[in-house]
Amino acid sequence: MRDKGEYLFTSESVSEGHPDKVADRISDTVVDAFLAADPYARVACETLVTTNRVVLAGETRGPDTVTHEHLAHLARMAIRDIGYDQAGFSWKTADIAVHLHPQSQDIAQGVDSAGNKDEGAGDQGIMFGYACTETPSLMPAPLYYSHLILRRISELRRAHDLSVAGLEPDAKSQVTLRYVDGKPVGATSVVVSTQHQEGVTQKRIKDMLMPLIESSLPAGWMPSADEIYINPTGNFVIGGPDGDCGLTGRKIIVDTYGGAAPHGGGAFSGKDPTKVDRSAAYVCRYLAKNVVAAGLAEKCTLQISYAIGVSHPLSVYVDLQNTGHDVDEAKLEATLRELVNLTPRGIREHLHMNRPIYAVTSAYGHFGRDPDAEKGTFTWEKTDLVPALKSAFGR
């Protein structure tokens, strides 16, 4: 985003009940099932969801105890947790087909360590990380507030709070912020669409959501009433996979930085951490966040590239977007490589990623979340490199 002048920037979020997020949740549930059984299992799972039907496909390598029947049961429980028990999509009655098969030996030989060969990257690719000072979580503000609105609706719905009675799991939000000299100063429009039960009026839905929107935004940031769009198409009873087919990996901008930073193109959900699409994107966020948290810059974009079967990254690139505080970017690139082993194995070990910690990442963003030491989730959001970075740059 531009550093000077005045402009508008928009990001969107979708709820855990959005069809694509249902697919992401199921795919990550499969990843967790395999990693719980074997921390070194391999998974590449794609999920399709549509009217009362779920299809899982992809490649795995893991213990025989993780059966297709067990995975179908876990998928059903994920749907139940999201909240779907509707005529067109129900955890009780959905047909669930599992078409997972063993991982290709051609891929496995390039990734596996053997003899003097370290474990290689599971694919070629470029991965990006980003952090900025716009919000407490060091995430871009438009996405931060888009996520926050939907998370608050979801929390109330899951708690059976009467203030949101009649709302269903599928929802979307979009927040447009006005920037002045590179800093957000207020919202110019907010869009929220939410699935609801038959008979719930649009007035009732607006009455439910207006206080939630206002409490989610900073004081004084609310747009004018005619720029708040709640269910702008009207009735939204048929939703979720019954209203629209969902697929794993179709919300990659929602999953990352809301368009405020580059994206390498690879999706995260359904992939075990040997896939650098996932693990390297996570470590990119980790490094960028620590750079900003250390006070070295207001913004940090970081790119890492890999070749399939090769352990060490081909390149590490840091761009402080002219916000660095007397920091040489070439020195910073070298320092980050010294602080963290950026091989696939090194990333996984540093961030403790060979654990069943991924289902929770499937909705409301993979970044900007609070790390949970007890559960071991979102380790890439920790800022434990800050002391070393400050020391390296004399802060």
Side-chain angles (χ1 to χ4, degrees), residues 102-121:
Q103 183 188 52
S104 160
Q105 289 302 310
D106 290 346
I107 294 177
Q109 70 181 357
V111 177
D112 291 346
S113 57
N116 293 325
K117 174 185 175 297
D118 194 7
E119 178 183 294

Side-chain angles (χ1 to χ4, degrees), residues 163-342:
S163 67
V164 295
L167 299 190
E168 296 284 11
D170 192 0
K172 301 178 76 171
S173 66
Q174 184 171 285
V175 174
T176 300
L177 298 184
R178 183 167 66 94
Y179 282 73
V180 176
D181 293 333
K183 298 186 182 300
V185 297
T188 61
S189 66
V190 174
V191 184
V192 181
S193 297
T194 179
Q195 185 187 17
H196 57 88
Q197 295 173 2
E198 190 74 64
V200 180
T201 67
Q202 296 305 303
K203 181 183 182 305
R204 171 61 182 148
I205 293 170
K206 289 182 179 180
D207 290 343
M208 293 179 190
L209 298 188
M210 285 294 285
L212 284 173
I213 295 170
E214 185 166 11
S215 64
S216 297
L217 296 174
W221 277 34
M222 277 287 278
S224 61
D226 61 351
E227 290 294 338
I228 299 175
Y229 304 91
I230 296 176
N231 279 19
T233 62
N235 217 38
F236 187 6
V237 173
I238 299 174
D242 187 30
D244 191 10
C245 178
L247 294 170
T248 301
R250 286 208 301 196
K251 288 293 178 285
I252 59 176
I253 300 302
V254 171
D255 286 343
T256 53
Y257 306 104
H263 193 291
F268 306 151
S269 290
K271 298 175 182 177
D272 74 77
T274 67
K275 278 69 171 177
V276 285
D277 274 347
R278 182 167 221 159
S279 56
Y282 285 5
V283 83
C284 283
R285 161 63 179 174
Y286 172 66
L287 296 176
K289 183 177 183 180
N290 275 269
V291 167
V292 174
L296 302 184
E298 303 298 310
K299 298 179 183 179
C300 179
T301 301
L302 191 143
Q303 184 207 60
I304 301 179
S305 68
Y306 291 88
I308 188 168
V310 179
S311 59
H312 287 278
L314 306 182
S315 64
V316 176
Y317 168 76
V318 173
D319 180 5
L320 302 181
Q321 298 178 231
N322 298 315
T323 68
H325 302 306
D326 298 319
V327 175
D328 178 79
E329 289 165 336
K331 178 183 176 181
L332 180 56
E333 290 163 0
T335 301
L336 293 174
R337 295 186 78 152
E338 291 171 2
L339 291 176
V340 180
N341 177 355
L342 295 177

